Structures are given as C-alpha cells and as structure tokens.
Amino acid sequence: MPPPGPQGPAGHDPYAVRPPYGAPPFRPQPAPQIKLITDTAPGPRAAATPRVLLASLITGLLTAWLLGDGLGLNLLLCAAGAATAAGLTARAAGRRVRPWTLVWSALAVVLLVIPALWDAGWPTVLSVVAALALTSLALHGGRRWAGVTLALPGVLWQLVPSFLWGVNALRGREYPAKQKVLPLLKALVVAAVLLIVFGALFASADAAMADVMSSLTPSFDLGELPLRFVLLVLGTVTALSFAHIAAGPRRWDLARTGPGRERGRLEWALPLGALNLMFAVFTVVQVVVLVGGRDAIMTNTGMSRSEYARQGFWQLTVVTVLTLGVVALAKRWAPRSTPGDRRLATVLLGTLCVLSLVVVGSALVRMYFYVDASGLTRLRLWVLVVEIWLGVVFLLVIATGLVRSAAWLPRAVVLSAALTVAVYGLIGPDAVIARQNVARYERTGQIDLRNVRDLSVDAVPALDALPDDLRTCALESLWSEAGGSEPWYAVSLAKTRARDVFTARPLDDQPRRACGRVGFDRSDEYDY
C-alpha cells in the first residue's frame, strides 16, 4: 500500500505524483517550432487592395509573355511589376523606407542586370536567386543573425499564404462597375467566337483572304501553353508574396537565440590554444616553403608548382570553412563571467582568425600556381572567389573584436556576400576564363580546348584572337549557340557581341578537320 497523502478535492487522485514541496507546478513548454512562430508573429497586416492585385496580375502576364523567350532585360521589366505591387502595399501599411532597405534593393537591381549583360547560365542563376533573397531581406528588415538568415529565404514561405491573402481580398468585395463590365465581357466573348468561326471559313475559301488573316493573326505555338501558364502563375504568386511581406512582415529579429552555456576556462581554452598552435606551425612552414618564390617550392618539397597547388588547395579551403564554424561555436560557449575571461576569449579567437588569414593566403597562392600551370576553369574561378570572400569574413570577425561590438556583423556579412556575387557576375566569368587561357596560350603555346569549348558565348570575343584552326575548333559549338532570333528583351549584350564577331569573321565550314589539325580529339570531350 502506498503511504497516505493529503486528500485533494473531490475526484482528485490522492496518490498522483506531485512536485516537491515548494517547487513550481510543471507547465508543458511549446515545441521550438511553435515557439519560433509565435515569437516572430507579424503585427497587423494591411489588406490587399485592388491596385495591388492588379499589379500582381500584370507581373504574371509580363512573366508569361517575356520570360518564355530567354533572359535579358525582361527580368527587370518583371521585377518592376513586382516592386510596384510591394510598394503599393507598403504605402497602404504605412511602412517607411529605411537606409538598409535602399541598400538591399539597389543590390537586387544590380544583380538583375547581369543576365542582360552576360549569357553564362551559372552566374545568371546565382544572380537571380541572390536578387530574390535580397528583396525578401529588404522587405523583412533584420539586423540580428536570426533576423537576417531567416529573412533571406522568407519569400518561399509566403507563396501559399500570399495566394490565400489575395483570394480573401477578392471575396465579398463590391464592384461598382459590375453592371457595366459584365455585359462588355459577354459582348467581347461573342465577338471573338464569331470572328474565329467566320474568319476560318473565309480563309479556307479564298487564298488572298487567308494571307490577310495570317498577317493579322499573331503566331502562337500551342505547345508553349503549359510553360506560359506556369510562368503566369509563378510571376503572379511571386509578386503577391513580396506584397504580402510588405503588408506585414514576420519579425524574425524577435526569435530568441540566447547565448550558449558558458564553459570553464580550461575546458574551453585548451582545445582552442592547441588549434592556434597548429595554425602557427602551419604558418611557419608556409613561410619556409614560399619565401624563395617558385624555385623554392621544387627545392623544399620536390614537387612542381602545379603538383604543390593541387596537393593542398582543396584541403585548405575546407580548413577555412571549418575554422569559421569553430570560431562561431567557440564564441557561443566562451567564458565571459569576468573581464579576464572576456580578454582570454578575445585573444584566442582573434589569434585564430589572424592565423586563418594565412591559410586563406596560402590557398590563394596555390590556386595562382595551379592556374598558371593548368589554366583557369569555371570551378577554379568560383572557388577562388569564394576563398577571397571567406578571407573578407575573417577580417570582419577580427574587426568585431577591435570595436567591441558585433551588432553590425550579420548585415556586413550578407553585404559582403551580395557584393561578391554581384562582382562575380558583372566581370563575366566565362569572358575572364577565355582571356586568361588565350593569354596563357600566347605565353606558353598551350591551351586546354576541352575547357574553352565548354564556355558560353561570353567567351567569343576573347577566343576570336586565337589562330585560325584553334579558333575554329574552340568556337565550333558557340557558332550555333550565338544564332537564333530571340526578341530584343531576351538577348544579352554578350550574345550580340558574339553575333557581330561571327558576322565579321564567319567560322570555317570544316571544324572537325580544324580540330584534327591542332591535335584535338573531339570524342575525348567531357563535362568540365
């Protein structure tokens, strides 16, 4: 028998488990996902006005009409429609334009210019995704890590709610011109049916009438209907999503992310000190190996510059990324109870960041040797750009220790990433790769045709400087890629330049023989 306990109210089990005397009663806590949603709930949201819905629909129609032919200035036209919908909503909600909103918006516009300048696919995809993320950040706002990182993909979480927001705005709305609009729509439908039926009969009865009807009727491929419909829905919903954010954004900055549990000095400082020592040893080794320049590499390691670069570049890139993770976790768990604890954390983390810059510099030197020996490729250029950006992030982290404040760091990191993507796209990566490979050929007489043949039409002006047979072999696939009859809004400036080059100097009719004369086996091509 259990021991007797105090009797509770009627119907209460006297033998139920109770908390110890004086302890607060147990209250179940909500799941972390539910808590995040409730903590960051938006304030009162403005309703979707008819102008906003019309601007979103016009954006969808522009998207269906323009984007099906390719990418170019049409992206800016579609973005203007979405910006109009978001601006009208923000004005109705009484939101003010802040300086960082202008910064993110301006960068998004710059990123959308890239497809109008260059034709390469990867920079175009990267710039469009970055522009969408920056637009979402501009409408959400955010200054803390949670606010910035959750706001960047925020437009994705608004696709369904924004559609429901638009539908609810249409329900029950009274339209004063309803009695005039409906008869007009009915008359237009009847007129269209009559013209189609009798026009088809007249065209089949008379050849001259058929020519007239053909010139008056716009050409339309029924096979494109599914694509155009998808673009219509995508453009409309995207514009509605941005307008929905502008009407009342979720306040991601209110997400609670408290500091990690403080560790003891020994538990925290010993691993970090050992890692600093390892980095210091690596720094000394790099100075010894590289102090003599190119020839010292062969003397000290017994390897060529290309072999030395290939041996360690990728590993050093991984080290750089892992070190950023170590710094973030160490900062979260650093001892901070006393001024001495805080000074120790600043010294150890600052030393690790400074030594990490040596790792970044070593990786960049190795990539320089690698490119000088083997040529520049898309992958090498992209990783080189990312490595430089990681070095910038380390400099920003070091700066937070010097100014004793890190409130500006989240936005500064995002700004550096956005500028990196913008610069990478604006320089024309494929054009840069082609120029470097042509310069290397002029210096050494060597060129990797498998690499340059895989580039986009951005590379045509640079590859046009090659000797005849090499030029013909390198530009074989780009000859057909530069063709076509896209409308003005779907053609990049780079493709226009490529067409001018081929107009001035047409390609040889025998590219297979040209490739054979320069010793290139076309069957040996692969995806590079």
Side-chain angles (χ1 to χ4, degrees), residues 135-469:
T135 305
S136 178
L137 179 58
L139 294 173
H140 276 98
R143 63 182 64 185
R144 299 173 60 241
W145 280 114
V148 170
T149 54
L150 293 174
L152 286 171
V155 66
L156 298 177
W157 306 324
Q158 302 295 330
L159 297 177
V160 175
S162 64
F163 177 76
L164 299 177
W165 177 65
V167 171
N168 289 333
L170 291 174
R171 284 181 180 175
R173 182 177 291 274
E174 294 294 334
Y175 301 96
K178 184 176 180 180
Q179 300 301 324
K180 298 181 180 179
V181 172
L182 285 181
L184 177 61
L185 291 177
K186 293 178 181 177
L188 290 175
V189 171
V190 173
V193 171
L194 292 175
L195 289 176
I196 290 174
V197 172
F198 286 93
L201 292 174
F202 282 128
S204 61
D206 186 81
M209 186 64 180
D211 292 336
V212 173
M213 295 294 296
S214 177
S215 62
L216 294 177
T217 306
S219 59
F220 191 78
D221 186 2
L222 293 179
E224 294 183 355
L225 272 179
L227 173 62
R228 302 287 179 172
F229 178 75
V230 170
L231 291 175
L232 171 64
V233 174
L234 182 63
T236 304
V237 173
T238 301
L240 273 176
S241 298
F242 286 130
H244 188 249
I245 297 173
R250 185 167 287 278
R251 296 170 290 185
W252 294 116
D253 267 343
L254 298 180
R256 300 175 186 176
T257 54
R261 185 171 66 87
E262 183 178 353
R263 308 289 177 171
R265 279 198 182 188
L266 180 64
E267 181 185 2
W268 181 87
L270 181 60
L272 206 59
L275 187 60
N276 276 328
L277 182 61
M278 174 66 71
F279 273 64
V281 172
F282 177 81
T283 300
V284 174
V285 171
Q286 294 306 292
V287 173
V288 171
V289 171
L290 299 176
V291 71
R294 300 178 178 182
D295 296 334
I297 295 176
M298 178 69 73
T299 304
N300 295 325
T301 66
M303 293 184 292
S304 66
R305 288 181 299 145
S306 179
E307 293 171 340
Y308 182 74
R310 282 196 300 268
Q311 182 200 40
F313 173 79
W314 303 107
Q315 294 90 328
L316 293 181
T317 302
V318 174
V319 167
T320 307
V321 176
L322 290 178
T323 305
L324 274 177
V326 170
V327 170
L329 293 176
K331 177 68 175 175
R332 180 174 176 81
W333 294 328
R336 49 188 174 271
S337 299
T338 65
D341 289 338
R342 292 189 288 272
R343 282 195 297 269
L344 176 65
T346 300
V347 170
L348 287 179
L349 290 176
T351 302
L352 182 59
C353 290
V354 171
L355 293 175
S356 297
L357 292 177
V358 177
V359 176
V360 172
S362 177
L364 294 177
V365 170
R366 289 168 187 256
M367 178 52 75
Y368 171 77
F369 291 154
Y370 197 6
V371 169
D372 187 57
S374 304
L376 189 62
T377 65
R378 285 174 173 172
L379 179 60
R380 294 167 194 168
L381 178 60
W382 171 243
V383 176
L384 183 65
V385 169
V386 171
E387 189 71 29
I388 294 174
W389 174 69
L390 291 174
V392 172
V393 173
F394 275 114
L395 290 175
L396 294 174
V397 173
I398 293 172
T400 60
L402 297 177
V403 300
R404 305 286 183 176
S405 174
W408 53 271
L409 183 60
R411 288 189 291 201
V413 171
V414 175
L415 179 61
S416 66
L419 290 174
T420 300
V421 173
V423 172
Y424 174 74
L426 290 173
I427 63 175
D430 281 11
V432 172
I433 294 168
R435 286 196 295 267
Q436 193 277 338
N437 280 274
V438 171
R440 177 172 171 266
Y441 170 78
E442 294 172 348
R443 188 177 68 253
T444 65
Q446 298 177 347
I447 187 170
D448 187 354
L449 285 173
R450 292 173 299 181
N451 174 27
V452 298
R453 282 169 60 90
D454 193 44
L455 300 176
S456 66
V457 294
D458 303 346
V460 170
L463 298 179
D464 185 56
L466 291 171
D468 289 340
D469 286 340

Side-chain angles (χ1 to χ4, degrees), residues 473-504:
C473 187
L475 296 177
E476 178 187 0
S477 59
L478 301 182
W479 167 264
S480 57
E481 186 178 338
S485 57
E486 300 92 344
W488 61 270
Y489 52 79
V491 179
S492 65
L493 182 61
K495 180 170 284 190
T496 302
R497 290 199 199 103
R499 290 172 179 173
D500 293 339
V501 168
F502 287 131
T503 300

Side-chain angles (χ1 to χ4, degrees), residues 30-37:
Q33 298 85 347
I34 303 299
K35 196 170 186 301
L36 176 65
I37 294 175

